[in-house]
Amino acid sequence: MLFLWLLLILIAAIFAVLAVYFHFNITRPIQILNTRLKRINIGHSFSSLYLKRTDEIGELYHYFNEMQARLHQAHREQVDMIAAIAHDLKTPLTTINGFVELLTLQKDLSESDKQEYYELILKKSKHMVDLINYFSAFTRDELTLEAIDKQPVLLTRQFYFATHLAWRQLTHGRAKLAAAILGVMFACVLVFMQLGFLDSLNESSTIIAKRFQGELFLVHKQCQALSATVPFSRTKLQRVLASPDVDSVVPVYIGEAQFNNLETKVNRTLMVWGSEPTETVLNLTGIEQFRAALTRRDTAVFDESSRPEFGDIAALLKQGPVVTEINDRKMEVIGTVRIGTSFAADGNLITSDQNFFRIFPSRHPSQIDVGVIRVKANANIGQLQQDLRLLLNDKVYVFTDKEFVNFEYQYWQSSAPLGFIFGFGTIMGLVVGLVIVYQILFTDISNHLKEFATLKAMGYSNRYLLLVVFSSSLILAIIGFIPGFLISLGLYNLAESFTFIPMPMPLTKVINVFLMILTMCVYNPNILLWRNSCGSYQRQQVFVCI
């Protein structure tokens, strides 16, 4: 629990440092820019914003200063245009006003002079009408552009165009696309491998417990796992037979022994499982054919999936009888079955209870490691479990088959150091993968801020721009996941061939990792766009700074 709290504190510290970094390097400069945008007013010039940076934020400040200068220039041009229009209107109006006053005040004008003055007034009036018509036509054209009937576009069609644009945007820089795919692929492989190590621990730790055949099981309460059992009295198992719902009981003996390699003469530790040969305790394919032979003195069955350091027992059996030393006692290996190795055992050996005591002379038959209980048909297992807990004292556990497997699983997950190491590795793999994908998408979005600004200036909505970013993330997730999955599949097979421990790749894991990578790729851009919303933190204002 202490390690878990330290891990949470470490992750919180990392995110705190990242939050401070992003605040002073991204959020704060954009908030300053947003404040200036809200205060900007045509006709009032402000000093240029200064930011000694050459990255995308620095470019954004540079383009803002250029925009501010262009707005100020546009305002001056607008003032000059209004002055020119006023001059063009004032000149003919002054002329008309002068001739009208002349016609009104001077009554003795000749008819020819009056006709000349009327013609000049008419000429200047037509000139003013033409000038006003020109302005009316210009205004009408502008209003016509604004009044164009805009038809709604289906979301699917928008998504199609957004995906097409995102693909063109990604493929424009092939080197950057390759780097982004490699980053997503590395994050995918990292998550797959960490989950694979954790699953291999879970799968191998319960590989023996799942093979036990019984409905109820007795183990000592000080027992931590099947690899670290504590013997208890066999009489407790015999007392179980007093219940009318119990059909039979089988004692099981477990120990670690030194197996001598016939070729290298090197001893190596394996797990020895002893029980009555007439009873089926472990569900193993092919064990029935060796049941009669196991009643003989000094015989055992070897697990053919054990590590190769024990020797190729299957090949030696084809050449003849195999006799080796187990705990310095000569034993004959009469055959092989397939069980599987684990982090607790590099190999396994099945033998009878009598031969078990010959291998372990210090062990006594009255002390057993696991008690297997078979119940009668139609018996209430839950009620029988409660009755046996009352019958026996508090020194033994009474487990059902699922609880028995979960007991082994919980030890390797919670108590064993490997469970913490692999669990911690999985969490760190997810965090590192998240940071990698975040940085990749952050770089991709930052590199295309100018393109997004152009689209925004052309009239595209925020939703369309979000669809473009979403499509880019989706493309990267799919293209990066496929090679990442294939590489992980090869690494799984390579790890199994070296460790002889199963690393399963079920369909559920493939789907979960893909959804995880997809979530990383899709959710991170929304965070980035949210943070880059110039301090407003409102989705409808994501691109207001542009």
Side-chain angles (χ1 to χ4, degrees), residues 77-113:
E77 292 176 354
Q78 182 183 13
V79 172
D80 293 340
M81 183 184 68
I82 293 174
I85 293 173
H87 178 268
D88 290 341
L89 292 175
K90 181 179 180 181
T91 300
L93 283 175
T94 303
T95 303
I96 293 173
N97 184 61
F99 283 114
V100 170
E101 288 182 356
L102 185 61
L103 291 171
T104 303
L105 297 177
Q106 296 186 9
K107 305 294 184 180
D108 56 347
L109 292 175
S110 62
E111 291 297 326
S112 60
D113 291 338

Side-chain angles (χ1 to χ4, degrees), residues 369-436:
D369 295 293
V370 178
V372 180
I373 304 173
R374 276 79 177 269
V375 303
K376 295 180 180 179
N378 300 324
N380 189 331
I381 298 178
Q383 184 60 46
L384 178 60
Q385 182 184 27
Q386 295 297 327
D387 295 340
L388 293 181
R389 286 175 177 172
L390 295 176
L391 177 65
L392 305 174
N393 57 31
D394 57 354
K395 291 186 178 180
V396 294
Y397 288 116
V398 182
F399 290 137
T400 62
D401 52 350
K402 292 183 179 179
E403 292 173 345
F404 185 60
V405 173
N406 187 62
F407 173 75
E408 187 76 7
Y409 172 82
Q410 289 299 327
Y411 167 75
W412 288 99
Q413 283 292 313
S414 305
S415 301
L418 283 176
F420 171 79
I421 292 173
F422 288 150
F424 180 80
T426 302
I427 296 175
M428 292 306 299
L430 295 176
V431 173
V432 172
L434 182 65
V435 172
I436 291 173

Side-chain angles (χ1 to χ4, degrees), residues 158-170:
Q158 286 188 1
F159 183 74
Y160 168 77
F161 286 115
T163 304
H164 184 70
L165 177 60
W167 175 251
R168 296 292 297 273
Q169 176 180 289
L170 289 173

Side-chain angles (χ1 to χ4, degrees), residues 17 24 35-36 55 69 123 147 189 287 341 378 423 434 437 465 477 526 544:
V17 173
F24 285 100
T35 303
R36 177 62 66 85
D55 56 1
K123 181 180 179 181
V189 172
I287 191 64
T341 58
N378 300 324
L434 182 65
V437 174
L465 298 179
N526 287 279
V544 70

